[in-house]
């Protein structure tokens, strides 16, 4: 017990020191450029004076959407051509989507565009008066660096809770068949299917889980833009189908698409508490669920066990 306490205590002290050092340097950078960003923000407010809701829609709706399509456009080049091979060799489910079915892909893209324009944008517009009631998302003063960090942490926690339970509910046989099965048409996911879902799922699970945090805190538009961009990037990486070097591991959610009844959350905390990651922890995917710090694909360094050949 003493040894465990010593290790944990030392680890926490080192983590605290590292965290303080990182945040100090970032805060210094933030402070040095703060006047620049504050000036740009005030110029935007002057341009949209009296029409701040338009600024909100552009910031919270169009900027994250642009971020989503830039990243997924690059991934789709690999998905459709298999080139460059230096990236396609990091594919998690080998032999799947090589190349991706063009007919299925066109259907996905049409659905995603529909979801973004008909579901996501109107929901963001509905959020605006609630944010105005809680404060002012377009207030003149930008939030501080440490406040943005705190907001990101709280948004992540709220998202983990709401997404886990709503996602697990969608796996109830009745709801799965009518709603969630659409997203699971892809047992080997690709990045763009992040927003390929039934409209009810997109609204009640995906959008709600990411917007409750900002609504509860009455967050500034700048924090909301950063959060939505980060959420879409992380979700795209989780669905992309490639375990690329130096990026967050997508093995957890990729395994969910493969097995359906494991790994419902985003962080994995609630899956651990509820025991919905037991099969995952026994798999090779769990051993590969780390940030790849080299250039050898984990599918090569930690290969799946050979398939058993049934005797005749």
């Amino acid at each position: 017990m003493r040894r465990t306490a010593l290790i944990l205590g030392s680890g926490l002290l080192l983590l605290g020191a590292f965290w303080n050092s990182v945040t100090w340097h970032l805060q210094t950078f933030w402070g040095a450029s703060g006047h620049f960003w504050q000036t740009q923000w005030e110029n935007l407010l002057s341009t949209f004076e009296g029409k701040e809701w338009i600024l909100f829609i552009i910031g919270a709706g169009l900027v994250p959407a642009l971020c989503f399509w830039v990243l997924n456009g690059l991934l789709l080049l690999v998905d459709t051509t298999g080139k460059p091979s230096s990236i396609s060799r990091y594919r998690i489910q080998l032999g799947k989507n090589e190349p991706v079915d063009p007919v299925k892909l066109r259907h996905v893209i049409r659905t995603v565009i529909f979801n973004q324009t008909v579901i996501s944008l109107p929901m963001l517009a509905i959020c605006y008066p609630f944010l105005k009631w809680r404060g002012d998302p377009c207030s003149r003063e930008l939030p501080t660096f440490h406040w943005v960090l705190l907001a990101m942490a709280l948004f992540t926690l709220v998202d983990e809770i709401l997404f886990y339970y709503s996602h697990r509910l969608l796996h109830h046989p009745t709801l799965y068949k009518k709603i969630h099965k659409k997203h699971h048409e892809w047992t080997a996911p690709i990045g763009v299917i992040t927003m390929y879902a039934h409209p009810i799922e997109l609204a009640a699970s995906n959008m709600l889980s990411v917007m409750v945090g900002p609504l509860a805190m009455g967050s500034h538009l700048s924090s909301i833009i950063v959060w939505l961009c980060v959420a879409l990037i992380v979700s795209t990486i989780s669905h992309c189908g490639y375990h690329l070097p130096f990026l967050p591991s997508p093995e957890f959610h990729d395994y969910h698409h493969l097995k359906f009844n494991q790994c419902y959350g985003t962080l994995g905390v609630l899956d651990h508490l509820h025991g919905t990651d037991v099969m995952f922890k026994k798999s090779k995917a769990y051993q590969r669920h780390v940030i790849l710090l080299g250039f050898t694909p984990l599918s090569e360094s930690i290969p799946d066990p050979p398939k058993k050949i049934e005797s005749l």
Side-chain angles (χ1 to χ4, degrees), residues 219-234:
S219 296
H220 194 275
L221 176 58
S222 58
S223 298
I224 295 173
I225 293 173
V226 172
W227 164 240
L228 292 180
C229 288
V230 169
L232 280 172
I233 290 171
V234 171

Side-chain angles (χ1 to χ4, degrees), residues 126-148:
I126 292 170
C127 287
Y128 181 71
F130 287 97
L131 286 164
K132 285 285 288 183
W133 174 67
R134 288 284 290 114
D136 184 1
C138 297
S139 61
R140 185 161 295 275
E141 186 175 351
L142 290 173
T144 65
F145 175 74
H146 282 95
W147 183 254
V148 172

Side-chain angles (χ1 to χ4, degrees), residues 152-168:
M152 294 301 112
L154 292 174
F155 295 165
T156 302
L157 179 62
V158 171
D159 178 61
E160 168 72 2
I161 294 170
L162 293 180
F163 182 74
Y164 177 87
Y165 290 111
S166 62
H167 185 194
R168 192 169 177 183

Side-chain angles (χ1 to χ4, degrees), residues 66-310:
L66 179 63
C67 186
F68 173 86
W69 283 112
V70 168
L71 176 56
N72 277 286
L74 295 173
L75 288 170
L76 283 173
L77 287 176
V78 185
D79 291 330
T80 54
T81 66
K83 297 177 182 179
S85 57
S86 58
I87 293 179
S88 62
R89 63 195 288 254
Y90 293 99
R91 191 180 299 277
I92 296 172
Q93 295 188 42
L94 300 175
K96 304 286 184 66
N97 297 324
E98 296 185 73
V100 67
D101 185 331
V103 176
K104 289 178 64 179
L105 180 58
R106 285 195 293 270
H107 175 64
V108 167
I109 292 174
R110 287 195 298 268
T111 302
V112 170
I113 292 173
F114 173 85
N115 283 343
Q116 288 179 323
T117 55
V118 179
I119 307 299
S120 296
L121 276 178
M123 282 193 70
L124 288 169
I126 292 170
C127 287
Y128 181 71
F130 287 97
L131 286 164
K132 285 285 288 183
W133 174 67
R134 288 284 290 114
D136 184 1
C138 297
S139 61
R140 185 161 295 275
E141 186 175 351
L142 290 173
T144 65
F145 175 74
H146 282 95
W147 183 254
V148 172
L149 277 184
L150 176 63
M152 294 301 112
L154 292 174
F155 295 165
T156 302
L157 179 62
V158 171
D159 178 61
E160 168 72 2
I161 294 170
L162 293 180
F163 182 74
Y164 177 87
Y165 290 111
S166 62
H167 185 194
R168 192 169 177 183
L169 180 62
L170 286 170
H171 275 263
H172 183 278
T174 302
L175 295 177
Y176 180 84
K177 183 178 180 180
K178 295 181 178 179
I179 298 174
H180 193 46
K181 187 176 181 180
K182 185 180 186 70
H183 186 67
H184 273 283
E185 290 172 6
W186 292 76
T187 54
I190 59 174
V192 75
I193 75 155
T194 294
M195 296 190 70
Y196 177 70
H198 190 284
I200 293 177
E201 176 182 352
L202 185 74
S205 181
N206 299 350
M207 285 293 294
L208 200 62
S209 63
V210 296
M211 284 307 298
V212 165
L215 286 168
M217 293 183 67
S219 296
H220 194 275
L221 176 58
S222 58
S223 298
I224 295 173
I225 293 173
V226 172
W227 164 240
L228 292 180
C229 288
V230 169
L232 280 172
I233 290 171
V234 171
S235 187
T236 295
I237 292 173
S238 296
H239 285 90
C240 73
Y242 303 97
H243 194 148
L244 298 170
F246 312 110
L247 292 179
S249 168
E251 300 281 353
F252 186 79
H253 195 71
D254 196 276
Y255 192 81
H256 172 74
H257 275 262
L258 183 65
K259 298 296 183 181
F260 294 84
N261 62 350
Q262 293 281 293
C263 308
Y264 296 103
T266 52
L267 300 177
V269 176
L270 289 175
D271 284 283
H272 175 74
L273 291 176
H274 290 288
T276 49
D277 60 356
V278 175
M279 287 174 56
F280 174 65
K281 288 179 177 177
K282 295 178 180 178
S283 70
K284 289 288 185 178
Y286 178 68
Q287 297 178 33
R288 295 190 289 259
H289 187 45
V290 294
I291 295 177
L292 176 57
L293 299 178
F295 294 99
T296 301
L298 288 171
S299 59
E300 295 178 10
S301 58
I302 309 176
D304 287 324
K307 294 181 179 180
K308 295 181 180 179
I309 301 176
E310 295 183 2

